[in-house]
Amino acid sequence: MRIGELAAACGTPVETIRYYEREGLLPAPPRSGGNYRVYGEAELERLAFIRQCRALDMSLDEVRALLAFRDSPPADCSGVNALLDEHIGHVVHRIEELRALEASLRALRARCGTPGDGAACGILSGLGQVALPEAAPHTGGVHEHAATHAPRRR
């Protein structure tokens, strides 16, 4: 199948597939006589695996490590377990950051009980005063396009 067919089969944009190839997550496919990329079932399964990992918000490095385990299965899967345990820890930390962010936003929202004159808006004055120390930095969403997904702090 060609790249467009692979993209449709996995619900993945063509540019994302090319990005995964550049990143080494997908091997460069063979080319047809007309120089088109030619993919098979193995690439389809690998792309589905990558997409599932990304849907679980795993970084490209985590996906790479899991692919390495998958490509050369170890005698036991303790390395896979350790990787997933570490990822769970990162998710727990991000949830804590998001809860702190929510509390900061709610406190800011509480500064303006009733809409009125914009010059007297408690939210606008609060945003202009001092940075809220408990607010977590924005790290991007889970559903961002893979090619633009910024690496998380790790």
Side-chain angles (χ1 to χ4, degrees):
M1 74 184 88
R2 291 185 180 175
I3 194 166
E5 296 166 317
L6 179 66
C10 269
T12 304
V14 169
E15 281 306 311
T16 300
I17 294 170
R18 290 182 181 135
Y19 174 72
Y20 290 156
E21 287 176 7
R22 284 191 306 271
E23 289 295 315
L25 298 174
L26 284 173
R31 300 277 184 154
S32 70
N35 204 28
Y36 290 105
R37 292 174 168 95
V38 180
Y39 300 91
E41 278 300 310
E43 291 82 12
L44 179 63
E45 289 174 14
R46 188 173 184 94
L47 180 58
F49 182 90
I50 293 166
R51 296 294 291 164
Q52 180 63 23
C53 290
R54 296 296 284 156
L56 294 171
D57 204 31
M58 293 184 179
S59 69
L60 294 181
D61 287 339
E62 289 169 326
V63 175
R64 247 184 228 98
L66 289 172
L67 285 168
F69 284 124
R70 184 175 180 244
D71 293 343
S72 302
D76 69 56
C77 62
S78 59
V80 175
N81 291 341
L83 187 144
L84 196 61
D85 288 342
E86 185 177 342
H87 184 67
I88 291 167
H90 292 298
V91 170
V92 167
H93 179 71
R94 286 183 57 214
I95 289 169
E96 291 167 359
E97 288 178 337
L98 289 171
R99 285 189 177 131
L101 176 60
E102 178 189 17
S104 296
L105 289 169
R106 288 188 184 282
L108 188 60
R109 177 61 181 93
R111 294 181 72 144
C112 186
T114 57
D117 181 15
C121 179
I123 295 171
L124 294 176
S125 66
L127 287 170
Q129 290 175 354
V130 182
L132 302 171
E134 66 273 11
H138 178 69
T139 58
V142 173
H143 301 290
E144 290 179 341
H145 185 276
T148 60
H149 187 68
R152 293 185 308 280
R153 293 168 280 123
R154 300 236 169 140

